[in-house]
Amino acid sequence: MDAATAAVDEVDPLALDRQLCFALAVASRLVIGTYKPILEPMGLTHPQYLVMLALWEHEPLALSEIAALVRLEPATLSPLVKRLEAAGLVTRERSPRDERQLALRLTDAGRRLRDQAERVPEQVVASLGVEVDDLVRLHAELSTLIQRISPGPGGQPAEGAPGRDERLATSD
């Protein structure tokens, strides 16, 4: 590679390794992959783990509430919840807040699973081989990014978030 080609590669806005979307996608797959062998003995997939986390924190919850918390579409959650129900971890019953809605509640087995799940974060940190302080910092930065770019009501950027043309649209 000659010097001119190297100079173009250094500033190429379309270079794959400069794309934020690529770095986030690869990091996401690798981190979620780290959870798989940790969650398998518990009988959970990563998306099911997220639903269980939401329920352990906020039980009972309507499907729409879970969808908002874990940021998945209700249609995506329905089969996942059916599998959790078949596994005996959750039940569906009328919501105490709105009898027109069904709410998910943990079963005794679902509540007991929390004891085992309390070891998951520590196991993930050990598997990643990254300092806890670095992970805390990364989590804070990602949470800030999510808050800034998440749409508010009506698909508009959240209050205080930059407009669409002001958002990060290119590589980092």
Side-chain angles (χ1 to χ4, degrees), residues 140-158:
E141 290 175 15
L142 289 172
S143 295
T144 298
L145 177 63
I146 290 165
Q147 184 179 8
R148 288 191 69 194
I149 64 177
S150 289
Q156 297 301 313

Side-chain angles (χ1 to χ4, degrees), residues 25-164:
V26 171
S28 177
R29 281 193 304 270
L30 292 171
V31 170
I32 290 170
T34 300
Y35 280 83
K36 186 176 181 182
I38 296 167
L39 296 175
E40 276 179 347
M42 297 170 58
L44 296 176
T45 63
H46 187 261
Q48 289 170 336
Y49 175 65
L50 298 178
V51 169
M52 294 300 290
L53 289 171
L55 287 168
W56 287 324
E57 190 174 347
H58 301 287
E59 175 192 21
L61 289 171
L63 192 63
S64 61
E65 293 171 316
I66 294 172
L69 286 169
V70 301
R71 297 179 185 240
L72 290 173
E73 292 296 319
T76 302
L77 285 177
S78 290
L80 187 150
V81 166
K82 285 180 184 176
R83 288 191 294 276
L84 289 172
E85 193 172 26
L89 299 175
V90 301
T91 60
R92 289 186 247 197
E93 53 191 57
R94 292 283 163 212
S95 170
R97 292 184 296 254
D98 182 351
E99 289 192 15
R100 296 170 295 173
Q101 288 191 335
L102 288 177
L104 293 178
R105 283 196 172 277
L106 294 165
T107 63
D108 289 340
R111 282 186 195 86
R112 283 191 306 272
L113 191 60
R114 188 182 197 285
D115 293 336
Q116 196 175 347
E118 286 179 356
R119 295 187 293 278
V120 170
E122 178 183 313
Q123 292 173 315
V124 169
V125 169
S127 293
L128 291 174
V130 178
E131 295 294 322
V132 173
D133 289 346
D134 293 336
L135 292 174
V136 168
R137 230 178 343 272
L138 177 61
H139 180 272
E141 290 175 15
L142 289 172
S143 295
T144 298
L145 177 63
I146 290 165
Q147 184 179 8
R148 288 191 69 194
I149 64 177
S150 289
Q156 297 301 313
E159 192 173 316
R164 182 173 307 280

